[in-house]
């Protein structure tokens, strides 16, 4: 019914996992919610998690215990969940890298790892989603999947203009359009190579 500009989450997850695997990581975890409500308010499997699970299963690397279920935007809950779960996992069973659903989750993960005296990226690498200004100002700066937010916003404005109807402007089209934006991986200091001891 409506115009939309959306991110290709599947490609973003693939870019993150391909990159982490190219740097030696195979025990790659995921932090985020299991479900969220879609545009019709139905509960659906969160797309980043769905694509993470699919990729890891296809690669023969999926481990249920490497999924850390946390709320979407609650750093304190993320920190608490990770502290509990990681402190109960033997060092050689811990993930060596984690993908987070967004930057807020990544920041909660950083706090939890530091409280457990784990270093980023030496002990665990972190990749986040969204690549807003937070990604570059947090310490260490976050490797992140960029949705090209400025371009998404500019594209949304173009779509509105094409369908706008005013006395001076007739709509250029009368049908809805969906534009899928390919993300890009921006590598920063929160990721590093993993070398098996």
């Amino acid at each position: 019914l409506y115009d939309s500009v959306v991110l290709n989450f599947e490609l973003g997850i693939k870019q993150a996992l391909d990159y982490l695997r190219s740097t030696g990581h195979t025990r790659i975890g995921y932090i985020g919610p299991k479900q969220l409500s879609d545009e019709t308010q139905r509960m659906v499997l969160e797309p980043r998690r769905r694509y993470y699970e699919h990729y890891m299963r296809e690669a023969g690397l999926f481990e249920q215990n490497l999924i850390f279920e946390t709320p979407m935007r609650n750093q304190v809950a993320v920190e608490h969940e990770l502290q509990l779960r990681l402190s109960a996992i033997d060092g050689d069973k811990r993930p060596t890298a984690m993908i987070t659903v967004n930057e807020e989750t990544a920041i909660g993960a950083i706090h939890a790892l530091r409280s457990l005296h784990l270093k980023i990226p030496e002990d665990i690498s972190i990749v986040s989603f969204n690549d807003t200004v937070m990604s570059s100002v947090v310490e260490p700066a976050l490797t992140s999947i960029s949705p090209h937010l400025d371009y998404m916003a500019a594209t949304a404005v173009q779509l509105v203009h094409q369908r706008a109807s005013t006395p001076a402007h007739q709509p250029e089209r009368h049908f809805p359009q969906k534009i899928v934006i390919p993300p890009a991986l921006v590598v920063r200091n929160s990721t590093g190579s993993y070398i098996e001891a």
Side-chain angles (χ1 to χ4, degrees):
L1 296 176
Y2 308 103
D3 288 339
S4 61
V5 183
V6 297
L7 180 65
N8 185 333
F9 287 115
E10 184 175 15
L11 178 58
I13 287 292
K14 182 179 185 321
Q15 289 171 336
L17 289 168
D18 283 351
Y19 169 71
L20 289 170
R21 291 181 68 197
S22 76
T23 57
H25 297 278
T26 56
R27 296 185 55 74
I28 304 166
Y30 180 84
I31 309 171
K34 180 175 185 176
Q35 296 182 315
L36 50 72
S37 58
D38 69 6
E39 61 275 359
T40 64
Q41 301 308 309
R42 291 177 305 150
M43 292 305 288
V44 295
L45 192 62
E46 204 286 325
R48 286 159 282 211
R49 177 165 167 176
R50 184 173 75 235
Y51 294 128
Y52 160 84
E53 286 190 25
H54 177 76
Y55 180 109
M56 294 296 279
R57 286 182 197 281
E58 288 283 310
L61 299 172
F62 181 77
E63 294 183 48
Q64 186 67 44
N65 66 324
L66 296 182
I67 293 179
F68 301 84
E69 197 166 316
T70 65
M72 183 73 91
R73 288 185 163 75
N74 186 333
Q75 289 179 21
V76 174
V78 170
E79 189 173 344
H80 180 71
E81 175 68 11
L82 280 182
Q83 284 173 339
L84 283 176
R85 294 268 311 276
L86 288 175
S87 61
I89 299 174
D90 291 336
D92 62 339
K93 302 271 194 239
R94 277 192 203 122
T96 62
M98 293 192 281
I99 295 176
T100 67
V101 72
N102 57 27
E103 292 153 323
E104 293 92 339
T105 304
I107 292 168
I110 288 170
H111 292 161
L113 294 173
R114 284 187 178 146
S115 73
L116 295 169
H117 307 290
L118 295 169
K119 295 178 185 164
I120 305 141
E122 293 86 352
D123 296 316
I124 298 180
S125 288
I126 295 179
V127 178
S128 74
F129 257 84
N130 293 346
D131 196 41
T132 69
V133 69
M134 276 198 295
S135 286
S136 56
V137 298
V138 70
E139 180 57 42
L142 291 169
T143 293
S144 191
I145 298 297
S146 173
H148 311 290
L149 291 173
D150 291 345
Y151 183 76
M152 288 181 81
T155 303
V157 170
Q158 287 176 348
L159 293 176
V160 169
H161 178 72
Q162 290 170 3
R163 294 190 72 187
S165 179
T166 67
H169 180 267
Q170 290 302 309
E172 296 170 29
R173 63 183 163 82
H174 297 282
F175 55 87
Q177 190 172 11
K178 177 180 183 177
I179 296 180
V180 181
I181 306 294
L185 179 70
V186 180
V187 177
R188 296 193 182 92
N189 298 335
S190 66
T191 52
S193 295
Y194 175 72
I195 300 164
E196 190 132 15

